[in-house]
Amino acid sequence: MVTVSTQRQLREVRDLDFCHACAKPISSIDATNFDHVPAQACFDVADRNPPLKLRTHFQCNNDHTANDEKLGQLIAAHRHMAIDPEQSRLNVKLLGTSGSGPQFAYFDNLDVVGAVRRWVGGFHAALYREPLPPDSWFQVTTPLPRGTIRDGSVHVEPILPQHLVFVEALKSNRAMGRIDRVVTCAAKMRYECVWVEADGDAGLFCIFGLDIYEWTGLGDGKNFGTRGCTGAYRLNSRSVPPNASIATRFIVPFKNQAPFDPFES
């Protein structure tokens, strides 16, 4: 089991020789800074220590600043923090009228999936001291439902069946102590993962869960269902890091009263 949570462990991964965002090496002449994973904007000032900070190419970090600030404002609103409308960078829109069914509020300028994908690359780098290439196969279900608007109607993507399978795998292997973990920001951020053998010759892939301030209620649970954040990714080499935790083949009892929440308390 690999864990990154203490000040010492977090310092050890600050200066890796590659950029977790682009997976390319960092040379002595590259312009760099430090990327907070997740972004500081996602946390109350009192909860920002200890953070996961990774040395990153300046441009790779700068490209995501605006989206990080928006997601931070959304998480703050979830924590019932007041957001000044004049300071908000989120575009909130309404669809539907009282005469044609319920109204839905949605954001048209927020990339939650992209942010989580980049953070997972940072967690992979911190745990295994190797990059996760941006073109690696990746799939995630976020707490905020996703959808499209067609012909004036909202078409929300359903929660995929594998979400329940991923939650079960995380809980089962947590009960066995076979889980890799990153915990930061006064334990308000928790990331856990385990490597599972795929069917056929697809090799091993990583199942992960991510929680920030118990954000299962980030979206409209009444209309679209409450869910935590789970997903999976696979290295292009179909290999597995040598120090990674491999899923158990045993069936072990575990608490699962909230089958959509990988961090059920």
Side-chain angles (χ1 to χ4, degrees), residues 70-257:
K70 296 170 192 174
L71 187 51
Q73 290 178 338
L74 178 61
I75 294 173
H78 168 61
R79 294 173 11 243
H80 306 292
M81 302 290 290
I83 304 297
D84 184 348
E86 295 185 359
Q87 299 295 323
S88 176
R89 304 185 65 169
L90 291 167
N91 290 339
V92 183
K93 296 186 177 182
L94 292 175
L95 185 68
T97 63
S98 58
S100 61
Q103 282 193 322
F104 298 104
Y106 67 95
F107 306 103
D108 67 350
N109 68 334
L110 180 64
D111 183 9
V112 180
V113 172
V116 172
R117 169 62 183 82
R118 186 165 56 90
W119 296 343
V120 169
F123 300 139
H124 181 94
L127 288 169
Y128 309 122
R129 314 294 177 91
E130 67 175 27
L132 175 63
D135 61 347
S136 301
W137 175 82
F138 179 85
Q139 182 268 322
V140 66
T141 297
T142 66
L144 189 68
R146 291 181 289 168
T148 57
I149 299 172
R150 299 193 300 271
D151 300 324
S153 298
V154 177
H155 297 267
V156 178
E157 296 179 9
I159 302 176
L160 299 176
Q162 53 261 43
H163 179 84
L164 297 174
V165 176
F166 292 169
V167 170
E168 288 185 0
L170 290 167
K171 290 180 177 178
S172 176
N173 285 279
R174 183 185 302 131
M176 289 286 290
R178 299 174 69 94
I179 208 91
D180 296 334
R181 179 181 291 116
V182 179
V183 182
T184 65
C185 299
K188 299 300 189 296
M189 195 296 299
R190 296 175 292 171
Y191 172 85
E192 294 184 346
C193 64
V194 65
W195 292 77
V196 179
E197 187 172 355
D199 295 333
D201 60 352
L204 292 165
F205 66 98
C206 182
I207 292 173
F208 67 85
L210 172 63
D211 182 67
I212 302 175
Y213 286 110
E214 299 181 351
W215 66 348
T216 54
L218 195 63
D220 182 352
K222 179 180 179 181
N223 289 298
F224 305 119
T226 300
R227 80 292 299 272
C229 180
T230 66
Y233 65 88
R234 182 174 56 229
L235 298 176
N236 294 335
S237 63
R238 306 294 177 92
S239 61
V240 59
N243 57 336
S245 292
I246 309 299
T248 179
R249 293 180 179 272
F250 295 101
I251 299 176
V252 296
F254 59 90
K255 182 180 179 182
N256 199 22
Q257 296 177 344

Side-chain angles (χ1 to χ4, degrees), residues 55-84:
R55 191 160 63 106
T56 314
H57 291 126
F58 178 85
Q59 193 59 51
C60 291
N61 190 3
N62 191 58
D63 286 345
H64 303 281
T65 300
N67 191 62
D68 284 344
E69 290 180 0
K70 296 170 192 174
L71 187 51
Q73 290 178 338
L74 178 61
I75 294 173
H78 168 61
R79 294 173 11 243
H80 306 292
M81 302 290 290
I83 304 297
D84 184 348

